[in-house]
Amino acid sequence: MREMIKLENLSKSFAGLEVIKNISFTLSEGEVLSIIGPSGSGKSTMLRIITQLERADNGTLSVDGMTMFRSVDGKAVYSKPEELRKIGLKMGLVFQSFNLFPHFSVLRNITEAQRAVLKRDKAEAEDKAMNLLKKMGIADKANQYPFQLSGGQQQRVSIARALALDPEMLFFDEPTSALDPELTREILKVIRELAEEKMTMAVVTHEMHFARAISDYAIFMDKGVIAEEGAPDELFGNPKEERTRKFIASFEE
């Protein structure tokens, strides 16, 4: 199976505090990886490093056979900018806070990066955007602005914007944490549909039942390390580590 992400011994510190300690995992084409764990365990930082929003201190990361960075004498050495750009185009990231441009319409939020990054012309970019908005069930919102949308609708625009660049992988950083339960269900449905289409994904989430149902593999992070990992039924149904059990149980109370 084609290996899309191979992460080895990733480490990262902020102001002398080590927030990620020697983390390793692989993600293959078409797989869904769920990443769970308490706030501050390093989950979001790890996604930000993979998607080039943060720099690693040490470790090695290969993306679809290309090296983003590798460990040399205890430090992460990054590849050249043109290689990093190629790698970046393979990935999309959906944030918990939507990160839409408030002064752009929904349509322009989705076309802007297509035109700037992929050099698509206006008509092609708008055609791609409208097809994605139809897929998300919000084609009628194309000319509205983010403030006119519900949180769930804004998040669907964010997902459409990520998909517009034709990534081979999608990363979700707690995509439902800013939403109420009804809107959360909307977004989880969209992610489930993407999983059914065999989109390669890594999802940081607190939605335990969803993570168990959708994942091919699951990781529990705590205090910057992978405390436990394995098949979803094992990790969620019969965790071996006490701290994993306590964390999962806290969502069932």
Side-chain angles (χ1 to χ4, degrees), residues 36-97:
I36 63 168
S39 297
S41 58
K43 307 182 302 296
S44 294
T45 299
M46 182 175 71
L47 284 197
R48 289 176 67 83
I49 289 170
I50 292 171
T51 55
Q52 301 187 48
L53 295 176
E54 295 281 0
R55 303 279 282 192
D57 292 340
N58 193 20
T60 298
L61 174 58
S62 298
V63 179
D64 195 18
M66 295 185 287
T67 300
M68 185 188 294
F69 56 82
R70 59 192 176 92
S71 182
V72 179
D73 298 328
K75 288 189 176 176
V77 175
Y78 276 74
S79 293
K80 292 179 179 177
E82 57 265 31
E83 186 82 347
L84 296 179
R85 183 181 182 277
K86 282 185 202 168
I87 291 170
L89 287 172
K90 288 183 173 286
M91 297 184 275
L93 176 62
V94 177
F95 301 88
Q96 55 183 295
S97 55

Side-chain angles (χ1 to χ4, degrees), residues 1-6 26-31 62-66 86-87 89-91 166-169 198 200:
M1 194 178 283
R2 184 175 162 204
E3 204 167 61
M4 301 302 290
I5 296 285
K6 184 174 184 181
T26 60
L27 177 62
S28 295
E29 185 178 22
E31 284 187 339
S62 298
V63 179
D64 195 18
M66 295 185 287
K86 282 185 202 168
I87 291 170
L89 287 172
K90 288 183 173 286
M91 297 184 275
D166 299 325
E168 295 181 45
M169 292 166 275
K198 291 298 178 186
T200 307

